[in-house]
Amino acid sequence: MILNEICGKRQLEFMKQFTYIREAGTEGELKAALAIQEELRSFGVESRQEEFEFDTWKILEAEFTVTEPFVKTYKVAGYGRCGSTPESGIEAPFLYAENGDAINLSFAKGKIVMVNNPMNGDMYQKLVAAGAVAFVTLTGTPIDEGDDTLLYTRAVPKMEATPIQGVVLHHKDAMEIVDGGATRARLTLKSELGKATSRNVIARIEGTEIPEEVLTLTAHFDTVPQGPGAYDNMAACAIIMELCRYFKAHNPRRSMEFVWFGAEEKGLLGSRNYTEVHKDELKNHQFNMNVDLAGQLVGGTVIGVTGDPAICHMIEYMAHEIGIGMVTRNAIWGSDSNTFAWNGVPAMTLNRDGFGMHTRHDIVDYISPWSLERSAKLLGKIAESLGNIAVMPFPRAIPEQFMKELDKYFNR
Ligand SMILES: [Zn+2]
């Protein structure tokens, strides 16, 4: 690999245009897809968009009022995908159940129950089983001020039955509610389901000698609604863009497909659509190299490998060769690489720890060209080796244990 052809400054320049929120299904996401295609065109790579529809939700009304021993209405945001309360809301005794442990939940029957963490499937089922009639969750920290106290709608995971509804409120208000000894409350939620459209951007560099074998380099370009996602995940988009530019100039022997995924934040929907649409070609896919969370200066690099442990040793050897510090972890990984692994394609996610993910503070100001360059060199080294090696050096199989964990992950 000609390491000095990889340029961190160029990656940062590319990133600087994405200062807007790119939530899946919105104008921002579409605008970003077009900008990615424009950048590819600037160095002679044609790309295509693959659109897909996904289920979404809308909150029409969300209200939460403590009614005893004092009366106060709090700012809340609603939970989607769990239906609506009766029009006049649900009024019931109120319980703060902390992390929803068994002792606290033994007092939940017939109550509106507040728990600390965002609602997941497990907690939802526990609350229903305990007889809760509605739920409240918290967000934020006690030191938030101004825009940091803004609330955003969220949704419960897709489940067969959603008998109870809920809202999210801010940490500071939760403190006031518990401190004030709230014993009774009223919760109203009105929501509806709908559809939205997201898209993947796909560019292919055809292999010169073994074009039928495919390696993918992937990164999601959508964001959560809270912030413009520089670290999560436009930095990764810039890294694979830089490598696409490199491999356009230095054709590998195997084919490389570069994919910028939409709707990752909605549950890996872009990669799930990609693996469905290209199901027949997946048997030719040898390895997925995904990047999620990248570009900040202070941090450390971890490569999560979902595949044979031999892949970890191989990647570590390559990192030693070029002297770039990192560690590997042989595990499933909460990003688009999981989708490939679940479909039988060994996969990795390059990940750098950092600050501000899923907040309005995730901005390009904290992105470092030094970090972008290092990560692009490391990933480029791996991609170039595998793109040109005579025979793939690890089995194209996912260890049984990971398949079990992935089944659980995707059916959660
Ligand atoms: Zn991400």
Side-chain angles (χ1 to χ4, degrees):
M1 174 143 214
I2 303 165
L3 292 174
N4 61 18
E5 285 184 33
I6 299 298
C7 176
K9 282 204 182 97
R10 178 166 54 213
Q11 295 174 68
L12 185 62
E13 279 313 306
F14 166 69
M15 280 186 70
K16 279 183 181 165
Q17 63 184 297
F18 300 94
T19 53
Y20 49 91
I21 290 163
R22 305 177 297 280
E23 187 182 11
T26 67
E27 280 295 306
E29 195 197 33
L30 172 59
K31 184 177 163 188
L34 294 169
I36 288 167
Q37 291 193 283
E38 184 61 37
E39 182 77 7
L40 288 165
R41 212 169 293 128
S42 77
F43 54 87
V45 171
E46 282 309 314
S47 61
R48 64 180 196 278
Q49 280 190 28
E50 283 182 1
E51 284 189 358
F52 54 93
E53 237 187 19
F54 64 97
D55 295 327
T56 183
W57 68 88
K58 208 158 133 189
I59 304 297
L60 304 170
E61 191 189 340
E63 207 180 271
F64 179 75
T65 302
V66 170
T67 56
E68 285 177 25
F70 60 94
V71 178
K72 184 168 175 182
T73 297
Y74 289 91
K75 244 200 292 177
V76 294
Y79 267 88
R81 245 190 249 146
C82 57
S84 303
T85 60
E87 199 118 336
S88 57
I90 290 173
E91 185 163 356
F94 175 82
L95 171 73
Y96 173 42
E98 300 175 317
N99 292 322
D101 59 88
I103 298 172
N104 269 312
L105 288 187
S106 66
F107 302 105
K109 196 168 171 56
K111 294 181 183 165
I112 295 174
V113 178
M114 182 164 82
V115 290
N116 296 333
N117 296 313
M119 192 51 56
N120 60 34
D122 273 359
M123 184 52 63
Y124 189 91
Q125 302 301 349
K126 275 189 201 170
L127 288 171
V128 171
V133 293
F135 68 85
V136 178
T137 70
L138 314 190
T139 189
T141 74
I143 59 167
D144 291 348
E145 295 289 347
D147 283 352
D148 286 328
T149 64
L150 288 175
L151 298 168
Y152 296 87
T153 63
R154 43 185 81 207
V156 301
K158 272 189 197 168
M159 290 175 285
E160 277 189 12
T162 51
I164 62 171
Q165 291 75 44
V167 296
V168 53
L169 53 70
H170 194 267
H171 191 123
K172 282 177 156 176
D173 286 334
M175 288 168 69
E176 185 181 293
I177 289 165
V178 176
D179 207 34
T183 54
R184 212 172 160 78
R186 187 173 59 245
L187 188 151
T188 311
L189 180 72
K190 197 171 171 192
S191 73
E192 64 183 22
L193 297 173
K195 295 271 182 202
T197 302
S198 177
R199 66 257 305 141
N200 298 328
V201 175
I202 303 173
R204 192 179 171 101
I205 307 263
E206 204 62 22
T208 52
E209 286 170 48
I210 326 170
E212 66 281 5
E213 291 192 4
V214 181
L215 302 168
T216 46
L217 287 109
T218 60
H220 75 85
F221 69 95
D222 68 310
T223 66
V224 295
Q226 286 88 332
Y231 164 59
D232 181 16
N233 193 35
M234 195 41 76
C237 293
I239 288 167
I240 69 165
M241 181 66 76
E242 184 71 8
L243 294 180
C244 188
R245 179 192 292 270
Y246 175 82
F247 288 111
K248 167 72 177 166
H250 306 275
N251 271 66
R253 296 170 69 202
R254 284 183 180 73
S255 295
M256 285 186 185
E257 201 147 283
F258 292 80
V259 192
W260 288 265
F261 289 124
E264 188 267 356
E265 303 287 5
K266 302 289 185 194
L268 313 185
L269 300 185
S271 54
R272 294 180 76 169
N273 182 260
Y274 177 86
T275 51
E276 273 163 37
V277 171
H278 302 281
K279 206 170 191 55
D280 294 342
E281 300 151 34
L282 280 188
K283 60 179 186 305
N284 301 324
H285 280 232
Q286 305 299 313
F287 193 46
N288 166 243
M289 289 161 273
N290 183 56
V291 188
D292 198 353
L293 302 179
Q296 286 187 1
L297 197 155
V298 173
T301 300
V302 181
I303 293 184
V305 173
T306 314
D308 194 279
I311 301 171
C312 293
H313 304 315
M314 176 200 80
I315 288 175
E316 281 163 19
Y317 179 82
M318 291 175 189
H320 279 79
E321 261 193 300
I322 55 175
I324 292 182
M326 53 80 73
V327 295
T328 59
R329 218 175 286 153
N330 201 199
I332 72 165
W333 210 260
S335 184
D336 290 305
S337 55
N338 261 0
T339 316
F340 284 88
W342 197 40
N343 284 281
V345 182
M348 56 155 269
T349 288
L350 173 69
N351 168 284
R352 186 170 178 82
D353 38 57
F355 153 86
M357 162 187 159
H358 295 183
T359 72
R360 69 190 182 89
H361 303 291
D362 185 0
I363 55 177
V364 75
D365 304 41
Y366 302 120
I367 300 298
S368 131
W370 175 86
S371 170
L372 289 170
E373 193 164 303
R374 268 169 83 86
S375 292
K377 283 176 175 173
L378 177 59
L379 188 63
K381 168 78 183 171
I382 299 166
E384 185 158 63
S385 300
L386 295 177
N388 293 310
I389 201 164
V391 179
M392 286 298 286
F394 50 80
R396 193 190 168 289
I398 307 299
E400 187 110 353
Q401 179 54 30
F402 291 156
M403 279 317 278
K404 276 188 199 148
E405 290 173 33
L406 289 164
D407 280 341
K408 200 166 164 227
Y409 179 88
F410 282 102
N411 295 323
R412 77 201 145 164

